[in-house]
Amino acid sequence: MRTTRVAAAALLAAAALTLTACGGESAKPGSVTQIAGGQDHAKAATVLDRPFTKPELVLTDTTGKPWNLREQTKGKPTLIYFGYTHCPDVCPLTMSNIAVAKKALPQADQDDLRVVFVTTDPERDTPESLAAWLKAQDPSFVGLTGDFAAIQAGARTLGIGIEAPTKDANGNVVSMHGAQVIAFSPKTDEGYVLYGEGTTVDDYTKDLPKLVKGETP
């Protein structure tokens, strides 16, 4: 497994260039457009020389209750992904890959790992719809929704660009969002590893045993 080290500041500067366009329900499979500046898929784990600070986000979970990202994940190995449930390809594949890889961990590590899915389409992704969608992936995954501006601001602190959903000429909802997964260390609570949309089940399976311990993959 090859890794590369990059500065978090460089990722922040490139955030606007790494958005993925996901179509609505009528979009055809594989209709993902990657804008210039995408992740080098030959390198699954990007280790940051300046880790990200965990965003100060208080959103609504799938039970309708407030969920404080920093407090609820403190001292826990955590993976954070921003996407939306109506995405036809990248979002469900990413969450599925993580769910499959997670099952290869010892039960204690599975229980310790926090996987947080933050919607980029809060108008449609209600707590109820998020709960139903994530249940098919992994019931333990945390789904968060809330104010779009707060979600967008939180994502930006992690170098992840998000734009408000719009409709195309055919009336399909299109959401532009970064497809990165950020891993936070249980030792420091900082985001120190980044994964792009090309990360496979095997990549996550190899790296998760180290990530849950706060080690560098």
Side-chain angles (χ1 to χ4, degrees), residues 26-169:
S26 300
K28 297 178 181 179
S31 59
V32 176
T33 302
Q34 182 67 40
I35 299 176
Q39 182 83 4
D40 179 357
H41 298 330
K43 302 176 181 179
T46 299
V47 180
L48 308 178
D49 60 356
R50 294 186 213 168
F52 288 117
T53 298
K54 192 173 291 180
E56 292 185 9
L57 273 177
V58 179
L59 298 171
T60 303
D61 67 13
T62 54
T63 68
K65 296 179 180 179
W67 207 87
N68 187 307
L69 178 64
R70 283 191 175 180
E71 291 184 3
Q72 298 290 102
T73 62
K74 185 176 182 180
K76 298 291 184 179
T78 303
L79 301 181
I80 295 178
Y81 180 76
F82 291 80
Y84 70 123
T85 65
H86 292 80
C87 175
D89 32 43
V90 177
C91 300
L93 178 60
T94 298
M95 300 308 289
S96 176
N97 285 347
I98 295 173
V100 172
K102 178 189 167 191
K103 292 179 181 178
L105 291 170
Q107 189 60 54
D109 288 344
Q110 291 189 45
D111 295 341
D112 208 32
L113 179 65
R114 299 291 182 268
V115 179
V116 182
F117 179 89
V118 184
T119 183
T120 61
D121 184 13
E123 184 173 336
R124 291 189 297 170
D125 283 344
T126 63
E128 294 78 14
S129 63
L130 271 174
W133 190 80
L134 287 172
K135 184 178 180 180
Q137 304 284 350
D138 185 314
S140 74
F141 286 0
V142 176
L144 299 178
T145 187
D147 179 69
F148 177 80
I151 292 171
Q152 184 182 52
R156 281 177 176 168
T157 68
L158 301 177
I160 298 174
I162 294 176
E163 293 182 5
T166 59
K167 288 187 177 181
D168 62 19

Side-chain angles (χ1 to χ4, degrees), residues 6-28:
V6 298
L11 290 172
L12 284 165
L17 299 177
T18 58
L19 298 182
T20 293
C22 294
E25 299 90 331
S26 300
K28 297 178 181 179

